[in-house]
């Protein structure tokens, strides 16, 4: 059995940023483990631009963004194991991993950072009826085929779901010569970033059909078409509105699920809204010494925020390793009216890192103009005017320690209208 100070599970942008920050915080023994053959996580296949605007003030591609951190990991001499799958994690931070060279590896860590990312929801997860022909892919799998393996998934494509991966793939497949017939979205609004609707659909005249879903898949060996229908306010298909669209490929971009099998093994408490761990101000989970960041914690639209969160988790883990400081988790963070969730779920004002706390949240609905209000048992703490709020675009707000006038709880909610209130 090996003894390690800090083990980071996952070598995507979250794991890499956490590793660099932990080393900068003075943790000498940092090990990153990833099951893939290269570092970089999902960014390896995201060859479009749009990464790094907040952190580097530059528009980088996914691989370029990842490379900056991979280089730092190498320059700082941080150890990493590739082709290594972590298969077990216990509450007392014992890790079992496996790889072809070493076989089974057993590690006892002082602290662990969970950075395993997320996986895509599949056809099974959303129960689309119909036959089971070839030609149905998740959008991320298709992205990997096109951008890494060099295969085209099909020629005539329908995309279900207007999440960012679906939008990016609509443009990518068009550029590669496919005909993207439409993007079908069950909600009355798109689930992707506004910039992706404009740059990936509108610029290529690809129709976005809102309030519709796929109700049947046709074809025996290969997809021959899909039946779509309008949905009512309860998202149920409306009889008589069906229309057939011929295609040879259906891409699914219907959501991501944080990869928390290991977290659950370690008895980490999971938030049922985000699907990720419940965390405090230092990104520490309900299990002492186990921290979480990135898509394993909640699904992010921008990688820059993944990096910021990972740096916080690394600072928390470094402090835990050095002086075993624990959070009292004494202020409960409550998502209230029009807010779906807020990260972190608890804070301890005395434990806040660098004297300020960032809160990340998503709204339940789109709003054109609104007020984000933060209230505690002592009254209103802060109000911030927001324009163009969408559930797909994460909201973040930073409070200085002295602004956190709360002892018991902080409620976050959105009020519509009056921006000057
Ligand atoms: C198609 C797409 C387009 C995007 N476009 C943009 C954009 O334009 N701009 C932007 O800023 N952001 C964008 N994002 C978002 C951003 O890329 C992600 O939020 C970010 O990559 C998440 O980082 P992560 O490290 O949490 O997860 P990942 O990148 O998924 O990394 C997780 C890593 O953990 C490893 N792992 C998982 N389980 C185990 C295990 N048991 N053992 C060992 N290793 C394990 C995986 O192999 C993987 O390498 C996009 C995302 C996608 C999918």
């Amino acid at each position: 059995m090996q003894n390690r100070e800090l083990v980071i599970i996952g070598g995507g942008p979250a794991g890499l940023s956490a590793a660099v920050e932990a080393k900068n915080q003075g943790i000498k023994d940092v090990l990153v483990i990833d099951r893939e053959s290269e570092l970089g996580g999902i960014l390896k296949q995201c060859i479009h631009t749009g990464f790094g605007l907040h952190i580097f003030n530059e528009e980088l591609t996914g691989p370029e963004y990842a490379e900056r951190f991979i280089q730092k990991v190498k320059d700082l001499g941080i150890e990493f194991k590739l082709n290594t799958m972590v298969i077990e994690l216990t509450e007392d931070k014992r890790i079992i991993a496996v790889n072809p060279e070493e076989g089974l590896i057993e590690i006892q860590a002082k602290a662990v950072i969970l950075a395993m990312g997320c996986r895509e929801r599949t056809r099974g997860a959303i129960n689309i009826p119909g036959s089971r022909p070839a030609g149905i892919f998740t959008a991320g799998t298709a992205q990997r085929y096109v951008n890494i393996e060099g295969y085209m998934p099909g020629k005539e494509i329908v995309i279900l779901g207007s999440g960012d991966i679906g939008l990016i793939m609509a443009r990518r497949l068009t550029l590669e010569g496919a005909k993207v017939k439409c993007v079908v979205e069950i909600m009355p609004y798109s689930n992707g970033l506004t910039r992706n609707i404009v740059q990936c659909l509108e610029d290529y005249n690809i129709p976005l059909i809102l309030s519709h879903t796929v109700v049947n898949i046709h074809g025996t060996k290969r997809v021959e078409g899909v039946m779509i229908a309008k949905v009512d306010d309860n998202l149920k298909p409306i009889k008589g509105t069906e229309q057939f669209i011929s295609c040879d490929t259906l891409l699914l971009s219907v959501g991501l699920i944080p990869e928390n099998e290991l977290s659950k093994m370690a008895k980490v408490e999971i938030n049922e809204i985000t699907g990720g761990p419940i965390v405090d101000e230092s990104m520490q989970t309900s299990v002492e010494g186990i921290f979480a960041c990135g898509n394993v914690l909640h699904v992010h639209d921008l990688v820059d925020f993944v990096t910021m969160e990972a740096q916080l988790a690394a600072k928390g883990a470094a402090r835990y390793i050095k002086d075993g400081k624990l959070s009292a988790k004494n202020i409960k963070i409550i998502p209230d009216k029009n807010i779906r969730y807020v990260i972190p779920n608890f804070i301890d004002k005395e434990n806040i890192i660098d004297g300020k706390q960032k809160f990340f949240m998503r709204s339940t609905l789109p709003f054109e103009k609104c007020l984000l209000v933060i209230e505690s048992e002592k009254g209103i703490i802060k109000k911030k005017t927001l324009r163009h709020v969408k559930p797909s675009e994460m909201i973040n707000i930073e409070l200085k320690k002295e602004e956190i006038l709360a002892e018991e709880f902080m409620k976050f909610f959105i009020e519509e209208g009056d921006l000057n209130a």
Side-chain angles (χ1 to χ4, degrees):
M1 168 127 80
Q2 304 176 24
N3 284 299
R4 297 288 189 151
E5 278 194 307
L6 176 61
V7 176
I8 300 172
I9 309 174
L16 293 171
S17 313
V20 170
E21 186 60 42
K23 199 78 176 183
N24 288 339
Q25 293 290 319
I27 302 302
K28 292 198 179 68
D29 180 22
V30 179
L31 171 67
V32 181
I33 301 180
D34 201 291
R35 62 187 172 196
E36 298 219 357
S37 57
E38 308 264 354
L39 292 171
I42 198 76
L43 295 190
K44 297 193 291 290
Q45 65 186 59
C46 300
I47 63 169
H48 57 282
T49 56
F51 299 81
L53 282 165
H54 297 259
I55 295 268
F56 296 113
N57 218 4
E58 273 183 77
E59 225 190 338
L60 304 171
T61 64
E64 282 170 336
Y65 187 93
E67 191 51 37
R68 297 212 173 172
F69 289 93
I70 294 171
Q71 203 47 54
K72 281 190 196 160
V73 162
K74 291 181 178 163
D75 291 347
L76 290 168
I78 296 171
E79 199 182 329
F80 54 88
K81 282 185 192 294
L82 297 174
N83 298 310
T84 307
M85 174 91 180
V86 175
I87 52 172
E88 203 179 311
L89 173 66
T90 65
E91 214 176 346
D92 54 3
K93 301 176 277 293
R94 201 170 49 85
I95 293 159
I96 310 274
V98 62
N99 72 25
E101 288 83 39
E102 298 164 271
L104 222 52
I105 310 161
E106 203 175 342
I107 306 169
Q108 178 62 58
K110 268 195 190 159
V112 173
I113 296 183
L114 307 171
M116 292 92 74
C118 57
R119 62 170 176 269
E120 296 176 280
R121 273 150 62 92
T122 59
R123 176 183 178 177
I126 52 166
N127 298 322
I128 308 175
S131 50
R132 310 196 70 79
I136 305 166
F137 303 87
T138 60
T141 303
Q143 186 180 50
R144 188 179 174 102
Y145 279 156
V146 179
N147 293 348
I148 295 189
E149 318 282 345
Y151 296 117
M152 274 294 273
K155 293 190 179 117
E156 293 201 309
I157 325 271
V158 168
I159 301 178
L160 175 61
S162 60
D164 288 312
I165 319 180
L167 301 178
I168 297 283
M169 283 313 289
R171 176 178 63 186
R172 185 80 189 101
L173 289 166
T174 305
L175 292 172
E176 287 296 333
K179 171 77 189 152
V180 178
K181 294 217 156 162
C182 57
V183 174
V184 179
E185 168 59 56
I186 196 166
M187 301 305 287
Y189 49 85
S190 159
N191 269 315
L193 294 171
T194 307
R195 72 173 193 217
N196 284 338
I197 306 282
V198 175
Q199 293 170 6
C200 301
L201 299 189
E202 292 175 6
D203 286 359
Y204 294 86
N205 294 321
I206 299 169
L208 170 62
I209 307 179
L210 298 172
S211 297
H212 278 69
T213 191
V214 169
V215 290
N216 212 339
I217 298 172
H218 296 263
T220 40
K221 284 198 168 144
R222 175 86 200 187
V223 173
E224 287 164 15
V226 295
M227 192 69 84
I228 67 166
K230 195 170 169 37
V231 296
D232 62 20
D233 291 345
N234 299 316
L235 308 182
K236 296 271 176 265
I238 304 170
K239 267 209 159 58
T241 63
E242 297 86 357
Q243 49 174 306
F244 181 77
I245 303 176
S246 69
C247 60
D248 60 22
T249 303
L250 173 66
L251 292 197
L252 303 175
S253 178
V254 289
L256 299 163
I257 307 170
E259 292 258 23
N260 276 299
E261 285 66 25
L262 290 172
S263 324
K264 287 178 193 161
M265 257 185 222
K267 302 198 171 64
V268 164
E269 198 182 331
I270 302 292
N271 178 337
E272 58 185 40
I273 306 284
T274 57
I278 283 176
V279 289
D280 64 21
E281 72 296 324
S282 330
M283 302 296 121
Q284 183 169 227
T285 68
S286 58
V287 177
E288 187 186 312
I290 300 186
F291 297 76
C293 54
N295 278 356
V296 79
L297 181 56
H298 60 133
V299 174
H300 290 67
D301 33 272
L302 292 182
V303 74
D304 308 64
F305 295 140
V306 169
T307 297
M308 291 174 197
E309 205 174 80
Q311 288 167 341
L312 200 55
K315 285 179 181 169
R319 191 170 60 183
Y320 173 80
I321 291 167
K322 284 189 226 160
D323 53 43
K325 196 150 197 269
L326 290 177
S327 163
K329 293 187 170 57
N330 47 9
I331 303 176
K332 191 169 188 220
I333 308 300
I334 304 169
D336 210 44
K337 194 170 79 178
N338 297 323
I339 295 282
R340 217 173 122 236
Y341 71 82
V342 185
I343 298 285
N345 311 89
F346 290 93
I347 59 167
D348 171 352
K349 217 168 29 175
E350 297 318 311
N351 227 17
I352 282 173
I353 289 169
D354 299 334
K356 51 192 188 235
Q357 182 70 45
K358 241 190 190 1
F359 296 89
F360 297 97
M361 70 210 78
R362 287 189 190 272
S363 66
T364 49
L365 289 169
F367 297 100
E368 264 317 302
K369 53 175 190 173
C370 61
L371 260 181
L372 172 66
V373 185
I374 310 173
E375 189 181 24
S376 78
E377 74 283 358
K378 298 187 175 170
I380 304 285
I381 295 182
K382 191 153 187 151
K383 288 181 181 180
K384 185 182 176 185
T385 55
L386 300 173
R387 292 175 192 273
H388 313 302
V389 170
K390 284 174 81 182
S392 55
E393 297 186 1
M394 204 152 68
I395 306 166
N396 75 83
I397 186 165
E398 189 170 89
L399 294 187
K400 294 195 192 88
K401 188 177 167 185
E402 56 273 19
E403 288 181 292
I404 302 180
L405 298 171
E407 304 295 333
E408 292 166 24
F409 70 84
M410 286 165 70
K411 268 188 196 165
F412 287 67
F413 57 92
I414 283 179
E415 293 285 13
E416 282 179 81
D418 195 7
L419 289 179
N420 299 316

